[in-house]
């Protein structure tokens, strides 16, 4: 097959974008991948394990990151954003803003000396602000590209005209305070794939979580925060401790449908929470076999391959008790133990239970910036502001030549995101090859 | 001096110990490690670098290869997972065969895990380098294996998944054969009425796709045809297809399995009689042909699924029930419809809206407990409602059973032909449930749609495209390069092989066959060098290149002495 003259543009470097990029690149098609964050990897990089196999997430993801970075058909623009797109299917052009990271990417080898010496302590976004990082930082340990970034908003040089210790520390002269944002124009793009993933409800609306005590009570966490606590590379080194007293929780309540299936917040089902909750409860139990897990749910949604047996295993081997229920209230006692008042929807009884920790299964929402991106691309969004896809063809958008995959158009799990990514790649290849 | 010793005499090993900034160098003395390595057998050069992977480090390796006439290179550093390809490329640029490189992991598996025990970490790193150098001495050059690719695909199954796959491949320019055993394309959709959640006619929808398939370039439709035999491997399959008694053979580069699923036979379940008590599928054909006049309708979910014998959720039945309930309501707003369910499965945005719509239109939902199954009587169903702690008696004149999609009976034969596995429920088993959802472990064979697991039409279509994409990654090339570190049965070992075929059975990639001469043969294009065969071979006849017994034993002896 001839090498096509048109390339593909992939927006978003999570698992969906990565899979789409690898497929196209392996077909011999040139791929430009744009990732907003300093490193690719997306949400999957933040996860400790993945259901239903409980594979270590980063262990199965890392080889893909490195393959993506090293692939001779993939050009990676990290810390970058698509600002302008023109043209139509088969012949788009795009302008990419590559933000200055103030680090020479080809010189930095992520030795970490600069971060060691940096005096600034900043909330770590990757770890859901559960710990501090420095103003010069690696987005996450196994991140790709494996280079540091200077956070201009926090760096003393940019804020107070002082310091520059990192510059003196770096043995490879990789710090470059004069680096400027760059605008890169890419022509001859045959097709575009949008895979910018998702945010969580707490990223846009913390009010919703307040009803469940989040922000008021230290022992109420979100599921992604809990995921980071379970992770060996997370803020507690994988040893789950309560923030109120550093004690290991013995009773954890997982509350489902936080923000979703709700008249007041989001009407839709977030699709993945029943399963990730079960996984998180299992992992917590693996850390401590005395743990009691309670899952408060409306309907258990476990239709994927091996999911029903996963729930059964949770019940039988990991001490998870599933309670069909509606949560009424959460308070705390004098030891900051959360007390949950709920209606059991099987029996109709109103009951209460005291636990050590509450984990909120917060729902997926469209990614921040989607409205602007949709405008740039000229594609439509649906009522929820997810990307609108035509009936039955979930990888197409309202515009020819622009495809989509993963949670940016609907909440879904990793296998479906990966399948859609390949699906979107196939469709993009059709356009690029003129079919 | 033996031949072996003569060979080794010319071996000149170079060792490069990397500080990896402070990752390794911060804990242990890399310079001292390098100096001590100079004393190891056959080592002609050793040095330490701040970052061996940097341009400076790579240049140092190339320079040393030239200056010291090195023919083996050892890098003691981070991890081969990310860096082995880089160093192989580097020595290759310096004129050495890339397999004459050996990676010693002294970061991930040493300084990182022993970061509180500097002395022990140093001793371990020293041992690891000693072992790595000993193996390097025994390394042999290997060549990557080139495999030719026939740029044609075969899609087995002409349902919505198979047609989507075939359309995409043909539009990408590949010759594609679409094999369907029935006399027409369309699969399951041919027997459906409307499609959730859009109120679209199934026949109209599938008709459009069929017409696209019929008009597609490069796409050959083989209806009333069945695959009866498959030989070969990635890029080079020979597929025999039977049509009306004649057998044709096709040369195929990649195969896509899209054979769909079947419907459970409901005989014996909940008083099924095919008349007053029918399945959702039978209801669909009734809806397609006539109006439903019955007033009191009960639907029961999870009939034959989520039970011990069939533990899975069939994932499409809840939406099917909602769709049919809404369609009945549409025809007959007076109808009373009650759905007895366990967990309503309506994930995502539109399905959840659909569920709300059904509730708003007055469809009644009653949860039942599998421990207290609904009791079916002639004109009524008794179901215990725990919420009100009462047994409800609900009259019906039509009872509809939501039975699951099940694996096709003939999946096993196809799986055997393709040498791919099935899972416990007899659906096809993909290479990795998380990250390789449409691949098989066997290269060149892909999967999409309900043959793998019950999925709705939207997912069937995206998986069809996905399988096409995966196949295209192979078909796009005239040749592909595969790993040279494979299993082999060397000439000098042939006498050891007893032909017991244990290796054939244990190989997870079906790379070992017994050939026409009754000899064990390794299809190198399929072998991943995992080593299971060699570990299993009772006579040690099989050799894994790059991980030979001799190479591994040399490492062990270097550590513990002979």
């Amino acid at each position: 097959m001839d090498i096509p003259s048109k390339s593909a543009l992939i927006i978003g470097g999570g698992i969906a974008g990565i899979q789409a990029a690898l497929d196209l690149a392996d077909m011999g098609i040139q791929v430009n991948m744009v990732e907003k964050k300093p490193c690719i990897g997306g949400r999957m990089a933040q996860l400790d394990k993945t259901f239903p196999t409980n594979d270590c997430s980063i262990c199965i993801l890392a080889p893909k990151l490195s393959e993506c970075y090293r692939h001779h058909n993939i050009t990676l623009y990290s810390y970058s954003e698509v600002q302008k797109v023109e043209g139509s299917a088969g012949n788009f052009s795009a302008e990419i803003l590559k933000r200055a990271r103030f680090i020479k990417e080809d010189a930095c080898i992520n030795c970490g000396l600069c971060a060691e010496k940096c005096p600034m302590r900043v909330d770590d976004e990757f770890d859901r602000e559960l710990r501090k990082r420095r103003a010069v930082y690696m987005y996450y340990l196994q991140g790709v590209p494996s280079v540091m970034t200077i956070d201009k908003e926090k760096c003393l040089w940019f804020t107070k005209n002082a310091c520059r210790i990192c510059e003196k520390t770096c043995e490879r002269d990789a710090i470059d305070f004069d680096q400027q944002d760059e605008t890169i124009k890419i022509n001859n793009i045959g097709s575009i794939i949008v895979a910018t993933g998702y945010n969580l409800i707490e990223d846009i609306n913390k009010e919703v979580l307040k009803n469940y005590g989040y922000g008021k009570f230290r022992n109420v966490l979100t599921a992604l925060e809990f995921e980071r606590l379970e992770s060996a590379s997370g803020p507690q080194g994988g040893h789950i401790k309560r923030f109120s007293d550093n004690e290991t929780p013995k009773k954890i309540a997982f509350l489902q449908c936080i923000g979703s299936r709700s008249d007041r917040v989001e009407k839709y089902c977030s699709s993945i929470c029943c399963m990730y909750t079960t996984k998180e409860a299992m992992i917590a139990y693996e850390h401590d076999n005395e743990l009691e897990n309670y899952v408060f749910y409306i309907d258990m949604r476990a239709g994927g391959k091996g999911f029903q047996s996963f729930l059964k295993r949770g019940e039988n081997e990991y001490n998870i008790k599933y309670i069909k229920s509606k949560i009424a209230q959460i308070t705390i006692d004098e030891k900051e133990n959360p007390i949950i008042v709920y209606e059991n929807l099987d029996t109709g009884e109103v009951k209460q239970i005291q636990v050590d920790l509450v984990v909120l299964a917060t729902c997926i929402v469209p990614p921040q910036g989607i409205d602007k991106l949709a405008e740039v691309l000229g594609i439509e969004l649906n009522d929820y502001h997810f990307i609108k896809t035509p009936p039955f063809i979930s990888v197409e958008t309202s515009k020819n030549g622009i495809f989509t995959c993963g949670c940016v158009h609907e909440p879904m799990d990793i296998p479906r995101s990966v399948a859609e990514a390949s699906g979107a790649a196939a469709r993009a290849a059709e356009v690029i090859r003129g079919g | 001096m033996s031949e072996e010793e003569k060979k080794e005499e010319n071996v000149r090993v170079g060792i490069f110990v990397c500080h990896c900034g402070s990752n390794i160098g911060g804990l242990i003395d890399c310079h001292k490690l390098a100096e001590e390595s100079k004393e190891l057998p056959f080592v002609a050069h050793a040095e330490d670098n701040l970052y061996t992977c940097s341009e400076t480090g790579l240049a140092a390796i190339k320079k040393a290869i030239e200056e010291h006439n090195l023919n083996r290179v050892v890098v003691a550093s981070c991890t081969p997972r990310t860096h082995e390809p880089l160093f192989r490329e580097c020595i290759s640029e310096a004129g050495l065969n890339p397999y004459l490189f050996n990676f010693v992991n002294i970061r991930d598996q040493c300084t990182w895990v022993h970061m509180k025990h500097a002395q022990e970490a140093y001793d371990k790193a020293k041992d690891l380098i000693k072992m790595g150098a000993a193996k390097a001495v025994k390394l042999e050059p290997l060549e990557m294996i080139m495999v030719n690719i026939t740029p044609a695909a075969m899609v087995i199954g002409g349902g919505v998944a198979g047609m989507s796959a075939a359309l995409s491949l043909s539009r990408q320019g590949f010759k594609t054969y679409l094999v369907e055993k029935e006399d027409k394309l369309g699969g399951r959709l041919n027997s459906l009425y409307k499609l959730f959640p859009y109120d679209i006619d199934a026949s109209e929808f599938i008709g459009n796709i069929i017409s696209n398939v019929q008009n597609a370039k490069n796409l050959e439709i083989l209806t009333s045809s069945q695959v009866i035999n498959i030989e070969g491997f990635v890029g080079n399959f020979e597929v025999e297809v039977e049509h009306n008694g004649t057998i044709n053979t096709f040369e195929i580069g990649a195969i896509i399995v899209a054979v769909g699923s079947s419907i459970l036979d409901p005989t014996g379940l909940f008083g099924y009689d095919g008349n007053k008590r029918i399945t959702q599928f039978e209801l669909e054909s009734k809806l397609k042909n006539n109006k439903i006049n019955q007033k009191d309708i009960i639907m029961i979910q999870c009939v034959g699924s989520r039970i011990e014998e069939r533990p899975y959720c069939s994932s499409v039945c809840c939406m099917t029930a909602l769709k049919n309930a809404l369609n009945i309501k549409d025809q007959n707003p007076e109808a009373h419809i009650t759905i007895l369910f366990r967990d309503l499965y309506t994930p995502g945005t539109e399905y959840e809206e659909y569920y709300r719509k059904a509730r708003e239109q007055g469809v009644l939902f009653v949860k039942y407990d599998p421990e207290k199954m609904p009791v079916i009587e002639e004109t009524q169903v008794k179901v215990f409602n725990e919420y009100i702690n009462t047994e409800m008696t609900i009259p019906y004149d039509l009872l509809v059973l939501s039975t699951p999609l099940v694996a096709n009976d003939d999946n096993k034969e196809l799986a055997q032909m393709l040498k791919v596995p099935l899972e416990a429920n007899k659906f096809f088993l993909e290479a990795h449930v998380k990250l390789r959802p449409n691949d098989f472990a066997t290269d060149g064979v892909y999967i999409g749609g309900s043959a793998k697991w019950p999925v709705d039409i939207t997912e069937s279509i995206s998986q069809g495209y996905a399988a096409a994409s995966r196949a295209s990654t192979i078909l796009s090339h005239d040749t592909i390069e595969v790993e040279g570190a494979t299993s082999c049965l060397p000439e000098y070992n042939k006498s050891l092989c007893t032909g017991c075929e244990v290796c054939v059975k244990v190989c997870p990639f079906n790379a070992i066959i017994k050939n026409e001469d009754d000899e064990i043969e390794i299809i190198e294009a399929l072998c991943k060098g995992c080593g299971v065969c060699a570990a299993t071979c009772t006579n040690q006849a099989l050799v894994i290149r790059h991980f030979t017994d001799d190479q591994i034993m040399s490492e062990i002896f270097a550590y513990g002495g002979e």
Side-chain angles (χ1 to χ4, degrees), chain A residues 23 26 51 55 109 111 171 261 263 269 271 299-301 303 305 343 346 384 410 422 430 433 435, chain B residues 51 168 172 343-344 346 348-349 352-353 356 367 386-387 428 430 432 434 453 469-470 476-477:
Chain A
D23 272 18
D26 284 343
F51 61 79
D55 276 314
I109 39 83
C111 66
E171 292 167 4
R261 301 190 72 193
D263 282 329
C269 163
S271 299
D299 289 287
M300 281 317 282
R301 294 204 160 151
K305 198 168 194 170
E343 182 192 2
D346 276 330
Y384 307 107
E410 178 160 36
S422 285
E430 290 172 27
R433 288 172 166 162
Chain B
Y51 303 102
S168 183
Q172 288 182 53
D343 288 282
L344 237 299
T346 57
T349 49
E352 186 69 19
E353 279 171 21
R356 280 171 176 263
K367 192 187 166 190
E386 206 186 346
Y387 190 75
F428 284 88
E430 64 273 42
H432 189 275
K434 212 71 193 173
W453 197 251
S469 178
R470 304 299 300 149
S476 300
H477 307 277

Side-chain angles (χ1 to χ4, degrees), chain B residues 272-319:
Chain B
Y272 170 81
D273 64 2
N275 183 24
K276 194 176 172 184
R277 292 175 282 270
I278 59 175
T279 63
Q280 292 284 1
F281 298 100
E282 287 163 336
L283 175 61
E284 295 257 341
S285 20
K286 281 187 195 292
L287 279 164
K288 204 170 174 174
N289 301 318
N290 341 267
K291 200 173 155 178
I292 295 292
N293 293 313
Q294 287 89 337
K295 285 270 176 294
D296 293 310
I297 297 152
I298 299 179
M299 295 180 175
I300 305 182
Q301 299 307 103
C302 301
V303 171
S305 62
R306 299 180 69 197
I307 56 173
E308 206 169 308
E309 180 194 349
R310 211 172 288 103
Y312 62 90
C313 161
S314 165
S315 82
V316 294
C317 330
C318 283
M319 283 300 289

Side-chain angles (χ1 to χ4, degrees), chain A residues 127-226:
Chain A
D127 269 322
R128 303 298 285 182
E129 306 188 352
L130 294 174
R131 72 166 147 195
K132 303 285 183 190
R133 59 162 170 82
R134 309 300 170 99
V136 55
Y137 69 111
M138 184 64 202
Y139 182 54
Y140 65 99
L141 191 65
Q142 306 86 343
V144 167
S146 185
V147 293
M148 310 298 285
T149 303
I150 292 178
D151 183 342
K152 196 179 175 184
E153 308 294 316
K154 308 285 188 214
C155 168
L156 280 175
W157 174 247
F158 290 107
T159 55
K160 301 217 163 62
N161 248 337
C163 187
R164 290 180 85 129
I165 290 175
C166 52
E167 197 177 31
K168 287 162 213 134
T169 314
C170 181
E171 292 167 4
R172 297 185 42 87
D173 291 327
I175 311 282
D176 178 6
F177 281 107
D178 298 324
Q179 216 173 61
Q180 299 291 322
D181 290 355
E182 268 179 273
T183 302
I184 297 160
K185 177 104 194 243
I186 304 174
N187 292 318
N188 270 320
I189 296 168
S191 184
I192 299 173
I193 295 176
V194 192
T196 52
Y198 63 95
N199 273 97
L200 292 153
I201 188 80
E202 64 266 33
D203 296 326
I204 57 161
N205 182 354
K206 284 210 167 59
E207 281 306 303
V208 179
L209 278 66
K210 268 192 187 157
N211 294 334
Y212 301 94
Y214 183 82
K216 285 190 284 183
F217 309 141
R218 285 190 284 180
N219 295 326
V220 178
L221 301 173
T222 68
L224 191 52
E225 287 174 339
F226 190 68

Side-chain angles (χ1 to χ4, degrees), chain A residues 275-290:
Chain A
M275 294 303 294
Y276 76 58
T277 287
T278 300
K279 170 201 71 182
E280 288 189 349
M282 282 181 170
I283 305 302
Y285 181 85
E286 276 174 6
H287 286 257
D288 179 0
N289 287 345
E290 284 167 23

Side-chain angles (χ1 to χ4, degrees), chain B residues 10-229:
Chain B
N10 301 322
V11 167
R12 297 176 64 80
V13 181
I15 294 181
F16 300 83
V17 182
C18 180
H19 291 241
C20 195
S22 57
N23 281 302
I24 301 168
L27 189 73
I28 60 181
D29 187 342
C30 294
H31 181 69
K32 194 170 150 206
L33 271 179
E35 287 304 308
E36 288 181 355
S37 303
K38 286 181 178 161
E39 307 304 317
L40 295 170
F42 299 102
V43 170
H45 173 75
E47 65 177 77
D48 55 306
N49 324 89
L50 192 53
Y51 303 102
T52 313
C53 66
S54 66
E55 281 310 312
T56 328
L58 298 175
I61 294 177
K62 287 179 192 166
K63 187 168 158 245
I65 289 173
E66 205 188 319
E67 274 181 8
H68 300 279
N69 209 11
L70 304 178
N71 51 22
R72 301 287 189 283
V73 171
V74 174
V75 172
S77 183
C78 48
T79 164
R81 195 167 45 82
T82 52
H83 281 64
E84 189 171 66
L86 180 74
F87 292 122
R88 276 190 179 173
E89 207 176 298
C90 167
I91 74 160
S92 182
E93 281 164 13
L96 292 183
N97 181 287
Y99 288 91
L100 297 177
F101 169 78
N102 196 24
F103 204 106
V104 176
N105 186 332
I106 60 166
R107 188 190 70 181
D108 288 16
Q109 293 173 359
C110 189
T111 56
W112 275 4
V113 284
H114 307 299
M115 55 172 67
K116 295 202 170 73
H117 305 97
Q119 186 55 47
E120 287 87 345
Y122 181 87
D123 295 341
K124 178 171 168 180
K126 194 176 161 183
D127 283 337
L128 289 170
I129 293 170
K130 187 161 70 178
M131 294 164 74
K135 181 178 173 183
V137 172
K138 304 275 184 181
L139 287 176
E140 283 167 23
L142 296 174
E143 296 306 323
M144 297 292 273
I145 297 155
M146 301 300 281
V147 180
N148 290 325
I149 303 293
T150 309
M154 181 171 282
V155 179
I156 308 173
V160 70
M163 287 195 289
S164 303
L167 273 174
S168 183
L169 285 168
S170 66
R171 285 178 188 145
Q172 288 182 53
F174 300 114
K175 176 76 195 171
T176 306
Y177 302 92
L178 179 59
V179 183
E180 168 57 49
K181 67 180 172 187
E182 301 295 329
D183 58 2
K184 61 172 179 177
L185 296 172
R188 173 82 55 237
L189 266 78
N190 285 326
S191 54
L192 299 185
Y193 172 49
K194 299 246 174 155
L195 303 178
F196 61 76
Y198 304 110
D199 204 33
I200 290 173
D201 270 336
S203 50
E204 197 185 318
F205 177 75
I206 201 69
N208 285 335
I209 299 179
I210 293 173
S211 124
N212 287 341
V213 168
Q214 284 164 341
N215 294 324
K217 279 187 228 161
N218 312 316
L219 179 46
E220 201 170 308
I221 304 165
L222 309 166
T223 43
S224 305
S225 298
Q226 199 148 2
V227 171
I228 54 163
N229 191 36

